[in-house]
Amino acid sequence: MIHQIENRYGLFQSLFSDIGINAKHFIPNVKVLVGNKLTHSVSVLQIPETYPPEFARQLGMDEPLAERTLNRTLERIGKRFPIIFQRYQQFLKRYDFVDQQQVTDFSSSYLEGRKSDLASYGYSRDKRPDKLQINFGISTGINGIPTALTIQKGNVQDKKHMREIFRLTAAILQKGSLLIFDTGANTEENKQKIREKEFHFLTLRAKRVESYRKYLAFFRQNSNDMVDLTINDRQYHCVKKQEEDRSVSYIFFSPELYDEQMQIKEEKFERKKQQGNKLLKKRKHPVLPSDAGWVQLIPCLQRTLQDIENPYINGLEGFFILESSVDDDPEKLLRLYKQRDVAEKFIRALKEGLELRPIRHWNNQCVIGIFFISFLANMLIN
């Protein structure tokens, strides 16, 4: 794969020429690092012991692989990352790989160690709150070719991270391109900046009872304008609402989604009730002093004719609202939003297929380097 892509497009020469001017085997070392990610994906320490000399020779190396040299290659990539990434985007433009419909998503990877300046505690998508982590964001076209990569400290929120990745994405997209992102990056400031740069957005409105209440009332009052559609054997009903800032809110209701969410909330309620019963049995009864002696308070349940209401049900079940600066067919926009899984699959491939986690480097340049090597390897696959 590396040979075919290099012969056809000259990718490695385009990105890394003159970057390692003092390193004789800089580009072959980069190919070895990418080749490792595409095969066994072992740590840099284990590369010389894992691959035979023939592997390195096929990629242009006429010297034995050395951990120190490979780490220096990663460090040099991290140090020259802005230049390399600018060349990467120019490469995408040259071969018309840039899709004008971009999906943005964010994730994190945890570290083994505590010395990296980029590492911080934050919301862990890897379910490892005990580990320091680094946040990263990617923007990829629906065609599967990524256009942007950002690396941030582990405690940076998505809404702030979105500004940085938009800066990179805006440098390569044509005016009028559509940016698709999740509710975590949905802020008025981010949407305003997108419109100022003459791009369009498609995102999900945060699901809050107060803000949804007026939209649900609008949905019921305008049922005559409802559009019915079916995607993947699932029914949706949609009503469009024009906003004052010229954006459009698409209010969707799905009966199947309603049934799923109600079942989840009922099961959660049952678990909490059982948990409450167990806690009640374990709880020590409080004892209070009185003139007549010590009084023990023993709880008892009062029988009523009314069942306990499920506190998790809020009336929003089955509803969701898409916001967009584009006034178009609801089915088309819903299908576009569902294609966010392109970015999710790209991130999953980075973290699981290419084993980006855990990160074992502590030097900031090496950390950036290993992120870009994994990003580049996944791009080659796509």
Side-chain angles (χ1 to χ4, degrees):
M1 184 193 295
I2 290 173
H3 280 323
Q4 288 178 357
I5 290 175
E6 184 65 4
N7 291 337
R8 183 171 180 179
Y9 300 108
L11 173 63
F12 289 89
Q13 194 65 32
S14 298
L15 299 189
F16 302 106
S17 61
D18 302 328
I19 295 296
I21 193 167
N22 296 324
K24 181 182 177 183
H25 296 108
F26 181 72
I27 293 180
N29 272 314
V30 173
K31 290 180 180 180
V32 167
L33 289 166
V34 172
N36 171 54
K37 283 295 178 183
L38 293 171
T39 51
H40 299 295
S41 194
V42 298
S43 67
V44 174
L45 177 66
Q46 295 175 324
I47 287 177
E49 300 175 2
T50 303
Y51 298 97
E54 291 79 9
F55 176 82
R57 280 200 294 270
Q58 286 184 10
L59 295 174
M61 290 285 291
D62 55 13
E63 294 181 358
L65 292 172
E67 178 214 342
R68 184 177 180 184
T69 306
L70 293 170
N71 273 315
R72 283 182 173 177
T73 302
L74 281 179
E75 190 171 359
R76 191 171 280 110
I77 292 172
K79 196 175 293 183
R80 302 286 191 272
F81 178 69
I83 298 172
I84 295 171
F85 204 82
Q86 186 179 30
R87 291 180 179 182
Y88 173 77
Q89 291 191 321
Q90 291 170 352
F91 171 84
L92 296 183
K93 278 187 175 181
R94 189 184 316 135
Y95 289 100
D96 196 25
F97 286 147
V98 182
D99 196 321
Q100 301 311 313
Q101 295 171 332
Q102 290 285 315
V103 184
T104 299
D105 204 359
F106 306 95
S107 191
S108 59
S109 183
Y110 66 91
L111 291 87
E112 294 293 347
R114 310 181 64 86
K115 293 185 177 180
S116 175
D117 295 336
L118 284 170
S120 180
Y121 289 108
Y123 169 65
S124 177
R125 280 103 165 168
D126 299 323
K127 310 300 182 186
R128 293 300 305 265
D130 58 317
K131 295 284 188 179
L132 293 170
Q133 66 176 20
I134 294 174
N135 283 344
F136 66 95
I138 64 109
S139 182
T140 179
I142 290 179
N143 63 358
I145 303 297
T147 57
L149 168 69
T150 53
I151 302 155
Q152 300 284 309
K153 292 195 71 169
N155 58 358
V156 173
Q157 293 181 331
D158 290 354
K159 57 185 178 182
K160 183 178 179 182
H161 200 159
M162 180 67 185
R163 302 170 203 163
E164 181 63 21
I165 201 164
F166 174 63
R167 182 182 63 81
L168 288 178
T169 311
I172 194 173
L173 294 181
Q174 296 177 5
K175 303 298 182 184
S177 297
L178 179 67
L179 277 71
I180 306 168
F181 50 93
D182 208 349
T183 184
N186 181 4
T187 66
E188 292 301 324
E189 181 182 354
N190 288 339
K191 290 184 290 188
Q192 184 178 350
K193 285 185 176 181
I194 291 171
R195 294 302 294 133
E196 286 174 356
K197 294 287 187 179
E198 300 180 31
F199 299 118
H200 292 290
F201 64 83
L202 173 61
T203 185
L204 180 70
R205 179 180 288 273
K207 208 165 188 179
R208 300 189 182 96
V209 174
E210 288 299 321
S211 60
Y212 262 56
R213 189 172 294 165
K214 66 174 184 178
Y215 289 99
L216 268 58
F218 183 88
F219 181 89
R220 296 183 177 101
Q221 292 166 5
N222 294 271
S223 57
N224 294 333
D225 300 326
M226 186 180 298
V227 177
D228 299 325
L229 52 131
T230 303
I231 299 178
N232 298 332
D233 298 327
R234 177 167 287 196
Q235 287 186 322
Y236 297 91
H237 310 290
C238 178
V239 174
K240 289 200 295 187
K241 184 179 186 299
Q242 294 284 342
E243 302 289 357
E244 295 179 359
D245 61 357
R246 297 184 180 179
S247 65
V248 183
S249 293
Y250 298 82
I251 311 165
F252 287 93
F253 175 77
S254 169
E256 290 86 355
L257 183 62
Y258 172 85
D259 292 339
E260 289 176 5
Q261 292 179 347
M262 288 295 291
Q263 182 179 354
I264 290 171
K265 291 185 177 184
E266 291 292 352
E267 290 173 355
K268 181 178 180 180
F269 186 40
E270 288 300 320
R271 288 198 305 272
K272 292 296 181 181
K273 285 195 293 185
Q274 293 299 325
Q275 183 182 4
N277 290 339
K278 290 178 182 178
L279 290 174
L280 192 62
K281 291 178 181 178
K282 291 180 180 180
R283 189 171 183 271
K284 292 182 179 180
H285 304 319
V287 178
L288 302 175
S290 72
D291 293 338
W294 293 96
V295 178
Q296 186 178 31
L297 303 181
I298 301 176
C300 65
L301 295 178
Q302 179 181 351
R303 296 284 181 178
T304 66
L305 298 177
Q306 185 178 5
D307 292 333
I308 304 173
E309 292 184 359
N310 189 335
Y312 301 108
I313 297 175
N314 54 20
L316 308 186
E317 293 75 23
F319 285 95
F320 62 93
I321 302 172
L322 297 182
E323 296 181 274
S324 181
S325 56
V326 177
D327 187 354
D328 208 332
D329 178 41
E331 181 175 355
K332 177 183 176 181
L333 290 183
L334 181 56
R335 287 186 182 276
L336 280 173
Y337 187 74
K338 283 179 173 291
Q339 290 191 42
R340 285 182 308 108
D341 66 346
V342 174
E344 293 169 358
K345 288 175 182 176
F346 191 94
I347 288 174
R348 195 179 305 122
L350 284 179
K351 296 168 72 171
E352 297 176 5
L354 302 180
E355 299 185 25
L356 178 59
R357 62 184 179 189
I359 298 170
R360 297 181 176 87
H361 303 276
W362 63 269
N363 180 296
N364 285 353
Q365 281 76 33
C366 285
V367 169
I368 295 171
I370 201 65
F371 265 102
F372 183 69
I373 288 293
S374 302
F375 174 89
L376 187 61
N378 206 21
M379 177 266 188
L380 298 187
I381 296 171
N382 288 350

